[in-house]
Amino acid sequence: MNSYFIKRIAAMIITLWLIITATFFLMHSVPGSPFNEERTTNEAVQKNLEAYYHLDQPLIVQYGNYLAALVKLDLGPSIKRSSQTVNDLLGRGFPVSFELGFYTLLVAVFSGILLGVIAALRHNGILDYVAMSIAVIGISIPNFVMATFLIEELAVRFPLFPVATWSSPKHMVLPILALATGPMAIIARLTRTSMLEVLTQDYIKTAKAKGLSPVKIVFKHALRNALLPVVTVLGSLAASILTGTFVIEKIFAIPGMGKYFVDSINTRDYPVIMGTTVFYSAILILMLLIVDLAYGVLDPRIKLNKKEAK
């Protein structure tokens, strides 16, 4: 087990380093400078600004300095928000983004599993067709299109929910729905397919023969094994939700990291782009490790022994 974790942590560090390296050099390969749009045309002023932020140094030196600062968890100053650091922006915006992503994931997982179970138990029935129709719609419509539709129908035509900001539970409903529909549809289809397969297994037939209640058979015996494919995709789904929040936060004017990230791309605020990318990449890599560990909880047959660890 110790060997397994050491290997996984080493792989996580290497993966994160590759992401940092690729992002750093790709970002700096784009022509231009963060100060190209400054009002002043004084070339000396622009050179002084580049010197202040060390952008006049060779690229490999900038890369080395960034890695050295990153080891100290210093993500650097924001170029366009000179009085703030990237750490400050993350500390202010990430809790909001995390709250949005967390509630979205909860809604997507529980509603997707519920739809999938209902569809499997009522296979080829009206509830199956309705549940899978909802899933197809959720997969087909991008979240930013869904956000526009929800605003038009539930905020403009029928003013049931407010839009913009993140100050009350009512403000959370529309952005959470816009983000959750796609992941919910994927989870529903996976749960349905997996449940249909599990319900034909011999141990389910044995449980029925013993006279166990349908609820106990479904939730204690069938659903636990049927969730393994769902757990497999949770890492990538969480990634899509976290990255999707950037656009949704911009549409709904939510004060999360999406606002800073989108603005930093438009203004070439290199430290904010790098800091946001590194921060979210680290979270996503960690979530993949958590998904691996969840296998052992859902299925006791999946265990690491010494041979597997080596």
Side-chain angles (χ1 to χ4, degrees):
M1 181 66 75
N2 291 335
S3 176
Y4 171 77
F5 276 111
I6 291 173
K7 288 180 180 178
R8 284 306 305 269
I9 291 173
M12 290 167 60
I13 293 173
I14 293 173
T15 302
L16 186 59
W17 171 72
L18 290 173
I19 293 172
I20 293 169
T21 303
T23 305
F24 183 89
F25 287 103
L26 284 173
M27 183 178 61
H28 283 81
S29 66
V30 178
S33 164
F35 309 109
N36 284 351
E37 296 181 359
E38 293 291 333
R39 294 180 180 179
T40 178
T41 57
N42 191 325
E43 189 174 336
V45 173
Q46 292 195 18
K47 287 184 177 180
N48 288 335
L49 287 171
E50 291 178 357
Y52 179 80
Y53 290 104
H54 308 293
L55 297 178
D56 59 335
Q57 297 179 348
L59 195 55
I60 192 65
V61 175
Q62 295 183 47
Y63 174 68
N65 291 338
Y66 186 79
L67 290 181
L70 195 59
V71 172
K72 303 175 185 177
L73 302 181
D74 180 10
L75 298 174
S78 170
I79 294 177
K80 293 300 180 179
R81 296 175 175 85
S82 56
S83 62
Q84 302 176 51
T85 65
V86 179
N87 296 62
D88 294 334
L89 297 180
L90 284 173
R92 185 183 306 114
F94 177 70
V96 177
S97 296
F98 177 80
E99 188 178 16
L100 173 58
F102 177 75
Y103 287 130
T104 299
L105 200 58
L106 282 182
V107 171
V109 170
F110 284 107
S111 59
I113 291 175
L114 180 62
L115 280 177
V117 170
I118 292 173
L121 295 178
R122 296 293 183 266
H123 183 47
N124 289 333
I126 183 65
L127 290 178
D128 184 14
Y129 295 136
V130 170
M132 288 303 98
S133 297
I134 295 174
V136 169
I137 293 173
I139 293 174
S140 304
I141 302 178
N143 56 32
F144 60 88
V145 176
M146 180 63 71
T148 305
F149 172 77
L150 291 174
I151 292 173
E152 173 66 26
E153 296 299 323
L154 300 181
V156 178
R157 183 174 299 180
F158 303 102
L160 300 176
F161 300 101
V163 293
T165 73
W166 186 256
S167 57
S168 70
K170 274 192 150 185
H171 287 89
M172 302 178 183
V173 174
L174 295 185
I176 288 174
L177 288 178
L179 274 173
T181 49
M184 176 202 67
I186 295 172
I187 292 173
R189 292 179 66 87
L190 277 174
T191 304
R192 175 185 179 272
T193 302
S194 185
M195 278 290 292
L196 289 174
E197 182 181 350
V198 169
L199 289 174
T200 62
Q201 299 297 316
D202 291 338
Y203 68 89
I204 297 297
K205 296 177 182 178
T206 302
K208 291 179 180 178
K210 288 181 177 180
L212 295 179
S213 66
V215 173
K216 193 171 185 179
I217 291 173
V218 170
F219 290 99
K220 185 176 180 180
H221 297 282
L223 185 58
R224 182 172 181 175
N225 291 321
L227 286 181
L228 286 174
V230 176
V231 173
T232 303
V233 302
L234 275 183
S236 58
L237 283 180
S240 66
I241 289 173
L242 286 173
T243 54
T245 59
F246 292 155
V247 178
I248 297 300
E249 285 175 13
K250 192 70 176 177
I251 293 174
F252 287 96
I254 297 173
M257 280 307 302
K259 176 180 183 299
Y260 301 125
F261 186 70
V262 173
D263 290 345
S264 67
I265 293 176
N266 294 331
T267 59
R268 297 177 184 272
D269 196 339
Y270 295 150
V272 176
I273 297 173
M274 285 297 303
T276 308
T277 303
V278 171
F279 185 72
Y280 275 101
S281 298
I283 291 176
L284 298 178
I285 292 171
L286 181 61
M287 293 180 77
L288 293 177
L289 176 62
I290 294 174
V291 167
D292 286 348
L293 298 178
Y295 286 140
V297 176
L298 289 173
D299 191 347
R301 296 170 298 178
I302 303 176
K303 297 292 182 181
L304 283 175
N305 54 40
K306 291 183 179 180
K307 290 184 179 180
E308 291 172 332
K310 292 178 181 179

